[in-house]
Amino acid sequence: MIETTANSVIEPPAGDSNATEKNISPAPQRDENRPRSGKQPRQNNQPRRDKRDVHGWVVLDKPIGMTSTQAVAVVKRLFQAKRAGHAGTLDPLASGGLPIALGEATKTVPFVMDGRKRYRFTVAWGEERDTDDTEGRVTRTSDLRPSVEAIQDLLPQFTGLIEQIPPQYSAIKVQGERAYDLARDGETVELKPRPVEIHHLTLVEQPDSSHSVFEAECGKGTYVRALARDIGRILGCYGHICALRRTLVGPFGEKDMIPLEQLEALCDRAASGEGSLADALLPVETALDDIPALAVTRADAARLHRGQAVLLRGRDAPNCSGTVYVTVAGRLLALAEIGNGELIPKRVFNLTGLTASPARSNERV
């Protein structure tokens, strides 16, 4: 983080709506994000507590078998939060980091979605499946098994900027419909290759001749399932993913993750007065680690809070342009754009309510 001062929210970049993993539509369920008024409806003759303002990030270590939508609903319920959303779908068959934004943190979701992702995944050789994972129907088989040397020699072809055809079962829209919906209806979907960037791809383990374990760090829009499919095709042995774990999403790594059981236990302790839910939250600005920070005076903060631009002048004026996040007295105020000697607010934050504890905030300094 770069901290500057001045005498005195940029519009976040559009996130990729296509998840890195397969986005399987969950069964119809109650919309947890629907606005409510007044008290919650009674259930089992017990009134639900009112929703409250909660601001920050929870990086859930999502268990296998849970959809991203279900995970958001669980975290939102545990915190009794008014607003919640996630920063990138994680397949139900996958485990690992699912960053969940609560309250004002939802304004920073695109910055996380645009960040790098890191995965550890296992490929099963000998079968290609229509979903490119264990859920699908077998479409091709082979008795060949690749050697370690053959795999390692091939990996440079899948590193850097490459063209990738997304899986048939993906969230990409084709003439207004999701590709996975068309595929489930038996239609053959012709998806065009898309440029993606693979920063690192390594073979980390070969437990037996039929399985290989990889680690990949990639940019947005990359389908790990497609990597397994394409590597298997070139090697002539075919393959599909049989295990997948996400270990990094933007600024959030494994040290930030909290298992669901641990989060539920923390919430139980907090309800009995033995702890605080703030200990499970990371600050809203954690999502903005790659953006310069600009500290302003309280007078200029008041103008920005009203949506008014602030002139940047004098020797303390920042020597930069573009997107910054603005703080006042060490507290996040806004996302803004510097240009033509002005600081123009684009997203203003109202952090009244439950926020991350000072201890969690200091962890990121």
Side-chain angles (χ1 to χ4, degrees):
M1 180 183 73
I2 304 169
E3 182 85 18
T4 60
T5 59
N7 293 330
S8 49
V9 181
I10 181 75
E11 186 75 23
D16 184 3
S17 61
N18 299 313
T20 304
E21 307 331 311
K22 179 179 42 167
N23 184 7
I24 300 176
S25 296
Q29 55 187 308
R30 178 171 53 83
D31 182 5
E32 289 288 337
N33 293 308
R34 183 173 54 208
R36 305 175 189 270
S37 59
K39 290 187 175 295
Q40 303 295 323
R42 296 174 64 90
Q43 186 176 14
N44 298 328
N45 296 323
Q46 295 294 326
R48 292 184 179 179
R49 290 170 288 183
D50 289 338
K51 298 292 184 180
R52 60 185 176 183
D53 292 313
V54 183
H55 311 296
W57 287 91
V58 174
V59 187
L60 185 68
D61 191 341
K62 189 190 78 65
I64 295 173
M66 176 178 281
T67 70
S68 298
T69 300
Q70 290 168 342
V72 171
V74 168
V75 171
K76 186 181 179 187
R77 173 179 54 80
L78 289 174
F79 281 83
Q80 303 159 42
K82 291 181 179 178
R83 289 185 295 154
H86 64 73
T89 301
L90 189 59
D91 187 84
L93 297 180
S95 66
L98 180 67
I100 297 176
L102 299 173
E104 294 290 87
T106 57
K107 296 178 180 178
T108 66
V109 162
F111 293 96
V112 177
M113 294 187 70
D114 282 348
R116 292 187 181 189
K117 284 84 174 174
R118 188 181 300 134
Y119 299 89
R120 186 181 180 95
F121 59 98
T122 302
V123 178
W125 306 115
E127 291 181 347
E128 183 172 308
R129 303 195 176 202
D130 56 3
T131 60
D132 300 318
D133 61 21
T134 55
E135 278 195 331
R137 176 179 57 87
V138 176
T139 56
R140 296 179 181 180
T141 61
S142 173
D143 293 329
L144 295 176
R145 296 296 181 268
S147 66
V148 171
E149 294 75 19
I151 295 172
Q152 290 177 332
D153 289 344
L154 184 61
L155 295 187
Q157 295 185 35
F158 292 90
T159 305
L161 288 170
I162 66 171
E163 292 281 314
Q164 184 183 77
I165 298 176
Q168 292 281 310
Y169 285 79
S170 63
I172 293 174
K173 285 191 174 182
V174 179
Q175 296 181 346
E177 295 190 60
R178 298 291 185 186
Y180 56 71
D181 286 331
L182 297 173
R184 280 200 291 260
D185 289 339
E187 297 187 33
T188 300
V189 182
E190 296 294 335
L191 297 175
K192 297 180 180 179
R194 294 156 43 124
V196 297
E197 186 168 11
I198 313 294
H199 303 286
H200 303 289
L201 177 61
T202 56
L203 174 66
V204 296
E205 188 181 355
Q206 186 91 348
D208 56 59
S209 62
S210 296
H211 297 87
S212 299
V213 182
F214 298 87
E215 284 188 354
E217 186 169 314
C218 49
K220 68 176 183 178
T222 304
Y223 286 88
V224 181
R225 289 180 291 127
L227 279 178
R229 176 200 66 201
D230 294 342
I231 291 173
R233 286 179 179 177
I234 293 178
L235 291 172
C237 60
Y238 306 119
H240 63 275
I241 282 184
C242 62
L244 176 64
R245 178 172 176 79
R246 187 158 67 186
T247 59
L248 177 75
V249 187
F252 302 114
E254 288 195 281
K255 64 182 178 60
D256 300 311
M257 298 180 195
I258 181 169
L260 181 58
E261 296 81 2
Q262 185 177 334
L263 181 61
E264 290 174 331
L266 176 61
C267 291
D268 289 341
R269 292 195 301 272
S272 62
E274 297 179 3
S276 172
L277 286 176
D279 293 334
L281 291 172
L282 287 170
V284 173
E285 58 267 32
T286 309
L288 309 174
D289 274 358
D290 293 333
I291 299 174
L294 177 66
V296 301
T297 65
R298 293 186 183 277
D300 286 341
R303 288 184 58 85
L304 293 169
H305 195 266
R306 293 193 296 268
Q308 299 172 329
V310 169
L311 289 176
L312 300 175
R313 54 193 173 189
R315 64 181 183 180
D316 291 331
N319 185 24
C320 63
S321 61
T323 306
V324 296
Y325 76 84
V326 182
T327 64
V328 56
R331 188 174 177 83
L332 178 64
L333 172 68
L335 281 160
E337 173 88 358
I338 295 178
N340 299 322
E342 287 188 321
L343 183 64
I344 305 169
K346 298 296 182 180
R347 288 286 187 272
V348 176
F349 297 95
N350 180 10
L351 300 180
T352 302
L354 179 66
T355 58
S357 67
R360 295 306 305 272
S361 298
N362 292 335
E363 288 177 9
R364 309 295 302 193
V365 175

